[in-house]
Amino acid sequence: MMLRRGFILFLPRLAGLLVVACCSVSIVYMLACTPKGDNQQLALPRVHSPTAKEGYEAILQEQEEQHRNYIVSLKKQIAQLKAELQGRSKQLKNLQDQHPDPLDIRLDHSNPEKAQANLLAFLRSQIDKAEVHSGVKLSTEYAAVPFESFTLQKVYQLETGLTRHPEEKPVRKDKRDELIEVIELAVGSLNNPERDGNAKHRVYTASDFIEGIYRTEKDKGTLYELTFKGDAKHQFKKIVLFRPFGPVMKVKNENVNMADTLINVIVPLAKRARKFRQFMQNFRSANFKNFTFIQLNEEFSRGKGLDIGARFWKGNNVVLFFCDVDIYFTAEFLNSCRLNTQPGKKVFYPVLFSQYNPSIIYGHHDSIPPLEQQLIIKKETGFWRDFGFGMTCQYRSDFINIGGFDLDIKGWGGEDVHLYRKYLHSNLIVIRTPVRGLFHLWHEKQCLDELTPEQYKMCMQSKAMNEASHGQLGMLVFKQEIETHLHRQKLSSKKT
């Protein structure tokens, strides 16, 4: 009874507290939700003001009008976007009807017959777009895609580079297999009996093939024109084949984070103090962390020095960059080194740009610019050193697993090709490509007297290739004739 009476007495107080709390919440809510004008917040009417009701109604009406206008504006924008979307969709459909999407060709497995028909239509369109049936207008004399010719034994090519020859027996398996396949298809086409029913025809073989020409348009395909012996002396059979390139297909889409990928740059060195000083200046600009000097008191061997440097590392798996002291590399190249290597998967063999003799390029020693300004990739300043395999990036684990260098090779050279061949014979992918941030700095090549006449001749030919371009060497050969001509011109101008 006492508890019930106390509770009954407490109820009026509790009700009063609830009323005060509700009033407080209402005031805070009105303060927080009062709309703002263009420049300042609208003032609330005073509670005890005679115009409080009219003020609140005006504020609510103004706020409602603002919301209504905003909704109307949004509806207009939505309508405009819908109209634009419908227009774009119509344009896209018309474009797809005219040019079937290659992705539909390869991804639509629900209807195999339609997919095959679309694929055949696409391949035929590649032939129509290529320069097969008619020529195309070209802007300059350099825009024409040249043909290369071939026989059963050799390919006559236009590829440039010091190791390329005007003719060669194809050593690359893909090129060899490609040409063999084309000749076999052409022979099969010539021997196709469906032409005249039961009529007898001669049987063609690969020995009837005389020559062929081919060229590749990178975005369309490869055109082959093959000539065979005919039935008489001046008669020939000509077969035209085309290998169309199919649609581009996505293989991989991934994010690559190389922030924690370390590169261990290993440089073998012997009696090259001045070059090493220059190398370290470049090394500092590549944001190196630290370096370790390993001294060996024995006969110099580049392969052994690199091998010891690679095995000296005791940390986690790391990218190894085998480098020489006369190499200049940029920080961007180190990113290429990281991106083109993958443990157990890929090794990187970049083709570096080899610098010509600056004294010949720039005419006089005093006119040679600073090193950073010399590093320009042009035919007048250097060449792609596609015969060198000494600069390479690979993970330490791959280097160890492949067996490292041949330590029986002494001195300088030979060990790089041996290691390169090991990777070629393995299941790892070898990435071979020219890179813009890796330079071989020119240094004088010495041809020793103890070389045989043939070796000395080859050494001098190599020296000439590294000195200057063909045109620049020609200017040196004809220097006397040029000076004589200039002298005559000078005398002629004085007489007039």
Side-chain angles (χ1 to χ4, degrees), residues 248-382:
V248 177
M249 301 181 67
K250 183 180 72 175
V251 176
K252 186 185 296 185
N253 184 353
E254 60 180 345
N255 295 320
V256 181
N257 185 1
M258 294 292 179
D260 298 326
T261 303
L262 297 178
I263 296 182
N264 193 348
V265 182
I266 306 176
V267 183
L269 184 65
K271 302 177 182 179
R272 304 286 296 277
R274 188 177 64 85
K275 283 287 185 181
F276 183 65
R277 188 179 300 109
Q278 183 183 56
F279 178 86
M280 289 305 296
Q281 291 175 354
N282 168 39
F283 196 45
R284 291 190 186 96
S285 64
N287 298 323
F288 79 101
K289 300 298 182 182
N290 52 59
F291 68 91
T292 301
F293 183 75
I294 304 174
Q295 186 171 0
L296 301 177
N297 296 318
E298 56 185 78
E299 181 184 358
F300 178 77
S301 168
R302 181 179 185 269
K304 187 171 184 179
L306 293 172
D307 196 271
I308 291 174
R311 298 177 189 276
F312 183 82
W313 177 261
K314 301 303 180 184
N316 295 330
N317 201 10
V318 65
V319 177
L320 304 176
F321 172 34
F322 295 144
C323 189
D324 288 339
V325 73
D326 51 10
I327 297 298
Y328 182 97
F329 60 87
T330 64
E332 287 74 17
F333 165 74
L334 295 180
N335 283 332
S336 299
C337 188
R338 293 182 176 97
L339 291 169
N340 287 292
T341 53
Q342 187 177 345
K345 186 74 174 180
K346 293 189 296 186
V347 295
F348 186 38
Y349 272 83
V351 179
L352 49 81
F353 193 76
S354 191
Q355 183 189 38
Y356 286 139
N357 187 344
S359 298
I360 297 179
I361 296 173
Y362 301 102
H364 193 272
H365 183 75
D366 295 336
S367 60
I368 298 177
L371 176 60
E372 288 73 13
Q373 298 178 21
Q374 299 178 35
L375 304 178
I376 302 172
I377 299 177
K378 295 194 304 184
K379 67 177 182 180
E380 296 83 8
T381 61

Side-chain angles (χ1 to χ4, degrees), residues 14 71 76 126 154 181 207 211 246 274 294 308 452:
L14 180 61
I71 292 171
K76 288 182 179 179
Q126 291 290 80
K154 294 183 179 180
E181 178 190 16
S207 61
E211 67 174 0
R274 188 177 64 85
I294 304 174
I308 291 174
T452 66

Side-chain angles (χ1 to χ4, degrees), residues 32-301:
C33 297
T34 301
K36 296 182 179 180
D38 293 338
N39 299 321
Q40 61 183 4
Q41 186 177 355
L42 295 174
L44 283 172
R46 295 180 180 177
V47 179
H48 300 294
S49 171
T51 59
K53 183 177 180 181
E54 292 82 355
Y56 280 122
E57 289 178 352
I59 291 172
L60 291 175
Q61 186 175 1
E62 182 179 355
Q63 188 176 15
E64 184 178 356
E65 186 68 23
Q66 290 177 353
H67 284 295
R68 189 181 295 111
N69 293 336
Y70 182 63
I71 292 171
V72 171
S73 175
L74 287 177
K75 287 182 177 180
K76 288 182 179 179
Q77 294 180 38
I78 292 172
Q80 292 174 355
L81 290 173
K82 283 184 177 180
E84 185 175 355
L85 180 61
Q86 290 176 354
R88 294 288 179 89
S89 299
K90 189 175 181 180
Q91 293 177 3
L92 180 61
K93 187 177 184 305
N94 293 335
L95 188 63
Q96 289 176 339
D97 292 340
Q98 297 174 6
H99 306 284
D101 186 359
L103 294 176
D104 291 341
I105 294 173
R106 69 172 186 268
L107 294 178
D108 186 11
H109 300 293
S110 59
N111 191 340
E113 294 182 359
K114 180 182 177 182
Q116 185 176 5
N118 287 341
L119 179 59
L120 290 174
F122 172 78
L123 298 178
R124 292 193 186 99
S125 71
Q126 291 290 80
I127 300 176
D128 294 336
K129 289 187 291 184
E131 214 175 336
V132 176
H133 302 298
S134 61
V136 296
K137 295 181 179 180
L138 302 175
S139 56
T140 70
E141 63 271 26
Y142 302 106
V145 180
F147 283 88
E148 294 181 352
S149 59
F150 64 99
T151 64
L152 283 175
Q153 291 80 28
K154 294 183 179 180
V155 175
Y156 301 85
Q157 59 191 6
L158 291 175
E159 295 182 13
T160 59
L162 291 181
T163 60
R164 301 289 187 263
H165 301 283
E167 65 173 27
E168 72 162 2
K169 294 182 179 179
V171 294
R172 274 178 38 189
K173 185 177 184 299
D174 63 330
K175 176 63 66 178
R176 190 170 62 251
D177 292 348
E178 173 195 7
L179 297 180
I180 290 174
E181 178 190 16
V182 167
I183 294 173
E184 289 177 350
L185 286 172
V187 170
S189 177
L190 290 171
N191 293 327
N192 191 345
E194 65 183 16
R195 293 172 298 178
D196 298 328
N198 297 326
K200 292 184 177 181
H201 300 279
R202 59 174 287 190
V203 177
Y204 288 87
T205 65
S207 61
D208 296 313
F209 174 66
I210 300 174
E211 67 174 0
I213 60 175
Y214 70 96
R215 69 176 177 184
T216 299
E217 295 182 64
K218 302 296 185 182
D219 58 337
K220 300 177 183 69
T222 302
L223 173 66
Y224 307 88
E225 297 186 8
L226 294 88
T227 303
F228 290 81
K229 297 175 185 177
D231 296 329
K233 182 178 180 180
H234 297 292
Q235 293 182 356
F236 304 93
K237 292 288 187 179
K238 194 168 186 179
I239 299 292
V240 178
L241 302 173
F242 189 79
R243 187 192 301 274
F245 293 159
V248 177
M249 301 181 67
K250 183 180 72 175
V251 176
K252 186 185 296 185
N253 184 353
E254 60 180 345
N255 295 320
V256 181
N257 185 1
M258 294 292 179
D260 298 326
T261 303
L262 297 178
I263 296 182
N264 193 348
V265 182
I266 306 176
V267 183
L269 184 65
K271 302 177 182 179
R272 304 286 296 277
R274 188 177 64 85
K275 283 287 185 181
F276 183 65
R277 188 179 300 109
Q278 183 183 56
F279 178 86
M280 289 305 296
Q281 291 175 354
N282 168 39
F283 196 45
R284 291 190 186 96
S285 64
N287 298 323
F288 79 101
K289 300 298 182 182
N290 52 59
F291 68 91
T292 301
F293 183 75
I294 304 174
Q295 186 171 0
L296 301 177
N297 296 318
E298 56 185 78
E299 181 184 358
F300 178 77
S301 168

